Amino acid sequence: MNLYLRYFDKETLVSNVDEAVEFLRSIPEIEMDEELEADVRNYATSEVYYPKRYKLRPRVYFIIIKTEAATMLDFKQKKALRPSDAPNTSVEPTPPTVARLNENRPGWYEGSLSFKRVVLIPSTGKHEYRDTFFVANCKANSGMDCYNRIVEHLRERVDPRSQFPSAKGKNFKFKYLGYWK
């Protein structure tokens, strides 16, 4: 595991922590104390792979990135990307929900929606928004059609000030149950 360090236009790729500390000490603007050195060493030995940013002054930082790259050129060309921990499968990934939303597939859908419902508080006579979760099975031609049918149904039954999420957001989910007969 190598370390890439950068402070403005000064950069280096080192193979161990001692070289990294020596590089940081060579920069006069960086006050290398025992605490900073210990933190750099902890980062280098940890299992964390995200870049580490150290604040020196307001809006002045240096960064350290762990990499498998053997040379600076490999690092710059991103040839040594760390392989993901997920197993490599040859099965096609499922398309994202947004892509499936308009897919024409008539049948039964289960749609779930989390929305802000306006309710009256009897003790004060005032209204407030409450998070409400609603699930329904409906006949529809697509995920978007399922969303529209659910929202249309709810608009007839709740306060008109209630707020409904976007069909493309995380607060609407749908599942195709099968073709209607």
Side-chain angles (χ1 to χ4, degrees):
M1 179 69 56
N2 293 328
L3 298 171
Y4 169 79
L5 292 96
R6 186 178 77 219
Y7 175 73
F8 289 105
D9 60 342
K10 298 176 179 99
E11 62 183 0
T12 188
L13 185 71
V14 296
S15 59
N16 61 45
V17 184
D18 294 326
E19 292 175 8
V21 170
E22 190 62 37
F23 171 75
L24 293 171
R25 283 197 173 129
S26 71
I27 301 171
E29 294 89 7
I30 299 176
E31 296 175 16
M32 195 68 181
D33 58 1
E34 294 171 2
E35 186 179 324
L36 182 59
E37 182 178 342
D39 197 47
V40 169
R41 290 184 185 279
N42 286 339
Y43 171 73
T45 58
S46 70
E47 296 295 319
V48 175
Y49 282 93
Y50 59 84
K52 180 85 174 187
R53 185 171 78 161
Y54 291 90
K55 185 174 185 175
L56 302 175
R57 295 183 306 279
R59 295 179 289 196
V60 177
Y61 302 88
F62 73 87
I63 63 165
I64 302 177
I65 301 174
K66 290 182 181 179
T67 180
E68 298 291 331
T71 65
M72 185 67 83
L73 183 62
D74 288 347
F75 178 78
K76 295 286 183 165
Q77 294 178 348
K78 299 180 182 176
K79 290 184 178 177
L81 293 176
R82 192 171 66 89
S84 66
D85 296 333
N88 188 5
T89 58
S90 59
V91 178
E92 286 185 28
T94 58
T97 305
V98 175
R100 294 182 317 143
L101 197 58
N102 291 319
E103 181 182 324
N104 192 14
R105 194 172 179 192
W108 283 98
Y109 285 83
E110 177 184 274
S112 60
L113 185 71
S114 179
F115 68 101
K116 300 279 186 190
R117 183 178 186 177
V118 174
V119 293
L120 175 67
I121 302 171
S123 61
T124 62
K126 296 184 178 181
H127 293 82
E128 74 176 8
Y129 286 102
R130 289 229 178 109
D131 289 332
T132 306
F133 189 72
F134 183 80
V135 179
N137 291 343
C138 64
K139 283 185 179 180
N141 292 316
S142 65
M144 189 65 185
D145 187 30
C146 173
Y147 170 81
N148 290 334
R149 288 174 186 255
I150 290 173
V151 170
E152 181 182 319
H153 172 80
L154 290 171
R155 283 195 197 276
E156 295 172 1
R157 289 163 177 77
V158 297
D159 191 292
R161 295 172 290 181
S162 297
Q163 298 174 356
F164 297 100
S166 167
K168 297 176 184 177
K170 65 180 181 181
N171 290 326
F172 172 67
K173 293 183 178 31
F174 67 93
K175 181 169 52 172
Y176 181 73
L177 300 175
Y179 189 76
W180 61 57
K181 294 185 182 187

